Structure formats: C-alpha cells, structure tokens
Amino acid sequence: MSGARGDPRRRLPGVRRAADPRTAGAPRAGAPSCGARAVVAAVYVPAAALALWSLGRTLWGGLHQPGIALAFGVLIAVGELVGTGSAPAAGSGRTPGEREGAPLGAAGALAYALLGAVGGRPTTHGVAQVVAVVLAAGLVGLVRQLARGAGPGPDHLARRVLSIGFAATCFQPLYNTGTLHAWVASGPFYPLFMIALMALTALCDAVLAAVLARARTGWPYGPLLRDELRALPGIGSAICATGVVIALATAVVGLWALPVFCLPLLLTQFAFRRYAAVRATYRQTLASLARSTEIAGYTPHGHARRVAALSRAVGRELGLHGPDLDVLEHAALLHDIGQLSLVDPVPDGATAALPPDRQRRIALLGGAVVRQTGAPAEVAVIVERQADPFRDQPVTARIVRTVNAYDDLSGGSAGPGGPLHALERLRLATARDHEPRVVEALARVLACEGRAV
C-alpha cells in the first residue's frame, strides 16, 4: 500500500534509484572496501600463483601425452564457449543451472584432473599439466566473455583454477605413485573415492563462490553459501557425476568416451536454459502487470520497480535467500495492484490516509488479482496482508511495507536530508507500523548503497 508521495521523479541529492527491475538485489554501488579487496586478493593471489607455477613447469618440461591433453583442452574450451551466455542479473534469483555458467567445461576439467588411464594405458600428466590445460581452455572462454561484456569473468576462472588444482593435487600424486591403487585396488572403492573427492571439490568451489560474492556485493555470507550449497544437488551433482563417469569410461574405451558421455550433460544444460528463459519471461510479465497502475495514473512512475529492488536487497540483509527472495520481489512488484479496483485514483497513490477498512479491501483485491496471474500463493498472501498490523505479518510482508513507506517518504522529501528524514520517520513509527529489525536492515542497505548520506 502506498503512503504519502510527492513527485518521485524529482532527483534528491544523495538519493539514487534503480530504474530497471533487473537491478533488484544488484551488487551494491560504490568502490569495494579495503576488506572486500583483501578477500578478493586472498582468492586471486593463490590462483595466480598456482597458474603461473603450472604454466612454467609445463612449458619447461613439455606436455605429456599431448594428444590426450589436446582432446581434454578442446572439450573444456568448447564447454566454456557453449556455456557462455548472458549473465543473469546479480541476485535475480538464478536457477541452479545458472550457478555454473559452463557445466560441460567444469565436467571436462574435473575428468582430466581425475584421469588415471586412457584405453587401459596409464597417463603420465601431473597436477601442473592439469591446471595448465584447464587454464588455457578457460582463457578461451574468458576472452569471449569479456569481449561480449557477459559472463562471470575472472572470478569464475580463479575458482576453476583453485578447485581443479585441489582435485588434481588430491588425485594425481596418489595415482602416479601407486598409492591409490594400493588403497583401493578393487571393487567399488575406487569410484567411491572419486565421488567423495568430487564432493569435496564441489564444496570448496561453493565456499569460494560465496566468499567472492560476499566481497563483491556485501550481502551476508550465510545466505550466499546456502544458495550455493542448495545448487549442489542439482546441476552440481550432474557435473560431478559426469566428470567421474568420463574419467572412468576414458580409462576403458579411450577418448571416444568424451563426446559420448558429455552429450547428456549438454542436453541438460540446454534444458536449464529453456527453464531460465521461461522464468525470465514470467518475471517480465509480472513487471509489465506492475506497470499497469503507473500507466493508469494510480501510482507514480517507477515506484513498483524501486520497491522491488530495495525489498530484495533488504531481504538479503535479513538472511533470506533463493525462492524466498523471488517471492519477496514478485510481491513488491505487485503490492499496489489492488488500487486498480478504485473508481477514482487516490492522489499520488497515497492510500495511507484511507480508512483501515478501505486499505484492507484494496489489499484483498490486490491479492485476488495476483492469484489470477498464476503466481505462487505466498506472493498473494504478502499482497493481501499489507494492511495488517506488522506483528501479524510474515517477515516478507513487513519488508514490503517498510520499503514502500520509505520510497513514499523519500520521494516526497525535499533537500539533501530527505532520505535520512524518511528513515527517522520510519524509526519513530516502529512501535506501531514497522518492525525495528526491518527498518535497521533498510538503513544498512541504504548506507552501503550510498543512498542515505
């Protein structure tokens, strides 16, 4: 529900607004802090050191079994190129298939790290050559990503180098010295060992991904790590399983195993992309529906998009993740849709001055409209319960209520102190209308984004 608004298009000093729904929950503005730069450096420096050592040692000693190295290098490079697409907007509710931008390349890299034999003949490559081949193939995909301005960029390559280096370090020395054969010489123990190693590698990569995301965006680490771990049973398990199968099959049938066993993962990747496209289309439909109140003159221009963007950021600050953030964002987009039931628009879309029974009626009608869109029931519940006392609301509804009020108040304030004045008014209303925890989370998000100065 909307509170008192002035002209929302008036730009206030110290206030920056998102103009596109895809910026919902986007990385926070401003230069990274010293702590964030230190975290990124703590990942990049070991990755660069490992990459330089591997390249130097490989160039000095030459490639072992260059045909095998070339085959896996081509597979990884093709996987990186095929997996390169438009990067999803940060925080836009990525599907599990979007968390690993190049699953085929990742599976090929893991298979090469765990490769012990080809067609019954032992391999002689070591850790350095594994990392060098993966790095060279990864650079092919990185160059294209940077040229197109899309893709995960250097973070993705640094994670790949470190995770593959970990897997190769755990496997290659044990295999080449015969220790692994002595430990797990027969039965199911050898593939079980490889599966366990894959699980550890996937866990390491998830930790690195969450660490880098925390440094880049400032979002809480816990929800980011949970999001990465939730993705592991999906596309992550498919990548690990494909890597193990390729390594085991190549040891028996030779390099013909590469195209045969990569095809299922490639088809899975295309299926995930189609699913992601459907999700994107659905979200665009909701955004278009949210604009109907603006086009009809019931609400100011851009209000729904701003509330959705800021609500998602506040939700992350409070520890929400994954589907909960999607529900929150969709409800924030549609929170004013019930105003279409009014015969005469409320001036400036300000319904806070209406009697409580009318506010409740508008909220219920809005929820009914949302249910007709096929949106999840949770979205409709949030829209319906906007007029309830905040103590009776779910946390998502409290977030939408508070962020909506902030956009109303800051849009109508004049002068450089407008955002701070809006926050102070929200704090004064915490005993009645807003949960203090949500208001303080909003203040932290605004401070990090430079909106409240």
Side-chain angles (χ1 to χ4, degrees):
M1 311 293 289
S2 298
R5 293 190 185 97
D7 182 7
R9 287 165 289 190
R10 180 175 182 177
R11 188 172 182 87
L12 302 178
V15 180
R16 291 178 294 181
R17 302 182 191 274
D20 192 297
R22 290 174 296 178
T23 60
R28 292 174 179 173
S33 66
C34 293
R37 289 194 294 267
V39 171
V40 174
V43 176
Y44 274 40
V45 170
L50 178 59
L52 291 175
W53 172 80
S54 301
L55 288 174
R57 181 156 183 170
T58 302
L59 292 174
W60 181 264
L63 278 175
H64 295 271
Q65 299 171 311
I68 299 173
L70 178 61
F72 275 91
V74 169
L75 171 65
I76 298 168
V78 169
E80 294 288 343
L81 294 175
V82 171
T84 301
S86 299
S92 61
R94 295 175 298 171
T95 66
E98 294 173 307
R99 296 186 181 277
E100 174 51 63
L104 185 60
L110 289 172
Y112 193 50
L114 300 183
L115 189 64
V118 175
R121 297 181 179 180
T123 58
T124 57
H125 65 271
V127 176
Q129 182 167 313
V130 169
V131 175
V133 170
V134 170
L135 176 64
L139 287 173
V140 174
L142 178 62
V143 169
R144 187 183 178 192
Q145 291 168 15
L146 295 178
R148 297 176 57 184
D155 285 2
H156 169 76
L157 188 58
R159 286 169 43 205
R160 178 65 55 79
V161 167
L162 291 176
S163 59
I164 295 303
F166 170 79
T169 301
C170 292
F171 181 85
Q172 291 295 329
L174 293 177
Y175 183 88
N176 293 333
T177 59
T179 304
L180 183 59
H181 182 75
W183 287 354
V184 288
S186 61
F189 298 104
Y190 183 68
L192 288 177
F193 169 80
M194 297 177 72
I195 292 173
L197 180 56
M198 285 298 91
L200 289 176
T201 303
L203 179 61
C204 291
D205 184 68
V207 171
L208 289 174
V211 166
L212 288 171
R214 172 71 175 87
R216 298 296 190 192
T217 65
W219 296 334
Y221 177 75
L224 290 171
L225 180 59
R226 285 196 297 269
D227 282 351
E228 296 296 333
L229 294 178
R230 285 172 179 266
L232 293 183
I235 194 67
S237 61
I239 292 171
C240 292
T242 303
V244 171
V245 169
I246 290 176
L248 293 175
T250 304
V252 178
V253 302
L255 295 178
W256 284 108
L258 299 186
V260 172
F261 290 97
C262 285
L263 183 60
L265 183 60
L266 187 61
L267 295 176
T268 302
Q269 178 181 342
F270 287 143
F272 269 118
R273 282 193 173 184
R274 291 183 64 86
Y275 173 63
V278 171
R279 282 168 51 93
T281 301
Y282 172 71
R283 192 191 179 286
Q284 291 169 3
T285 302
L286 292 184
S288 299
L289 181 61
R291 290 192 65 239
S292 62
T293 57
E294 302 172 11
I295 296 173
Y298 286 87
T299 58
H301 176 72
H303 170 70
R305 296 195 298 273
R306 292 192 300 271
V307 172
L310 198 50
S311 293
R312 188 170 189 114
V314 173
R316 279 194 177 275
E317 188 70 27
L318 290 173
L320 301 182
H321 56 88
D324 293 335
L325 286 175
D326 290 340
V327 168
L328 172 62
E329 183 182 1
H330 294 165
L333 278 171
L334 301 174
H335 73 281
D336 273 332
I337 199 68
Q339 292 202 42
L340 293 175
S341 64
L342 300 176
V343 177
D344 297 316
V346 178
D348 294 324
T351 57
L354 296 177
D357 58 334
R358 289 195 65 190
Q359 293 187 38
R360 179 64 176 166
R361 176 177 174 272
I362 293 172
L364 290 175
L365 289 172
V369 172
V370 172
R371 292 182 190 278
Q372 296 299 316
T373 67
E378 295 89 342
V379 176
V381 169
I382 295 172
V383 175
E384 289 171 344
R385 300 187 64 180
Q386 291 178 85
D388 294 352
F390 83 85
R391 292 178 177 83
D392 299 332
Q393 295 174 322
V395 66
T396 45
R398 299 176 186 182
I399 292 171
V400 173
R401 178 187 186 126
T402 300
V403 172
N404 174 62
Y406 169 79
D407 191 79
D408 294 341
L409 295 171
S410 63
S413 300
L420 290 178
H421 178 68
L423 282 175
E424 286 304 314
R425 291 187 62 179
L426 292 179
R427 288 189 173 105
L428 291 175
T430 52
R432 182 183 69 257
D433 296 326
H434 304 286
E435 182 183 1
R437 185 171 63 107
V438 175
V439 174
E440 294 310 313
L442 172 62
R444 291 193 298 270
V445 169
L446 295 172
C448 289
E449 294 184 345
R451 301 191 191 189
V453 295

